[in-house]
Amino acid sequence: MGILDKFRLDGKTALVTGSSRGIGKAMAVALAEAGADIICVSSSLEEHGSAVEKAVLAAGQKFKGYTCDFSNRQALYRFVDRVKSENLQIDILVNNAGIVRRAPAVDHQDDIWDEVIEINLNSQFVLSREIGKEMVARGAGKIIFTASVLTFQGGLYVPGYAASKGAIGQLTMALSNEWAGKGVNVNAIAPGYIRTDVTQNLQDDPERHAAILERIPANRWGDVGDIAGPVVFLASAASDYMNGTIMTVDGGWMGR
């Protein structure tokens, strides 16, 4: 097999959460362009006719869309049961669903904390466990988490988000320690400051925008397309000896 062939995902099926827009959509489309059929799930995804569906079909791959509220544990279990009842074999799981709720720690109330932790951490563990156990039984699979530069840093006014992303880094390593020897690769991508609706308020704040840009050695914010190559790599045979790695895609942010 030539090196470029190792990046192909023909015959694989990828489940991408939080994939109606932004980074998740870019990941789903990239995986489709590499040859994978795509299952997308998001709290706001139309099950038929979405923009991500059209992009996946245009890449020549099959698509299934689901709606699930990841803040609702029972809704998550219903989604898992539905996937299993339809006999969908998941070869690649991309845990990308997540939210940010900004408030100073003194104003970061229980409902904010609980929602962020449930979506960003708890739901991702449940999904990884339920899909991962089937990968372990088959002796093959790829699980990719979306971490963050706040996996390594505390950030400002996002204590719940920072805590959840720090925990995602530890969960990546914990699952990898158990499953690497069973044919399942568990890794994470830690994006830096990417132009999405999640970071729009930072982009619109002249002072914060300038401060962030000044620290990025690449001298630009990232685009969602910057995550495409890394997710295909981690989903493919090209990364078969990568386990428990948190790959930063940040324009050099963490090197400063």
Side-chain angles (χ1 to χ4, degrees), residues 115-202:
E115 182 187 27
V116 170
I117 296 299
E118 187 65 31
I119 294 173
N120 292 13
L121 178 60
N122 296 345
S123 70
Q124 299 199 26
F125 172 71
V126 170
L127 198 55
S128 297
R129 182 190 65 207
E130 296 303 308
I131 302 298
K133 67 175 65 174
E134 297 185 351
M135 292 178 173
V136 168
R138 293 195 305 269
K142 302 277 187 172
I143 297 177
I144 304 162
F145 288 96
T146 297
S148 168
V149 290
L150 295 194
T151 298
F152 313 101
Q153 300 175 320
L156 289 171
Y157 310 124
V158 287
Y161 181 82
S164 71
K165 292 302 183 179
I168 285 296
Q170 295 301 114
L171 181 59
T172 298
M173 292 183 282
L175 295 181
S176 176
N177 289 344
E178 293 192 36
W179 294 347
K182 299 178 180 179
V184 180
N185 299 79
V186 185
N187 293 289
I189 297 171
Y193 286 87
I194 308 295
R195 292 187 182 279
T196 68
D197 58 347
V198 173
T199 60
Q200 191 62 55
N201 68 321
L202 296 176

Side-chain angles (χ1 to χ4, degrees), residues 1-20:
M1 180 184 292
I3 184 59
L4 293 182
D5 295 325
K6 288 189 174 184
F7 288 85
R8 293 296 305 172
L9 301 175
D10 302 291
K12 304 294 185 181
T13 296
L15 169 59
V16 186
T17 72
S19 45
S20 63

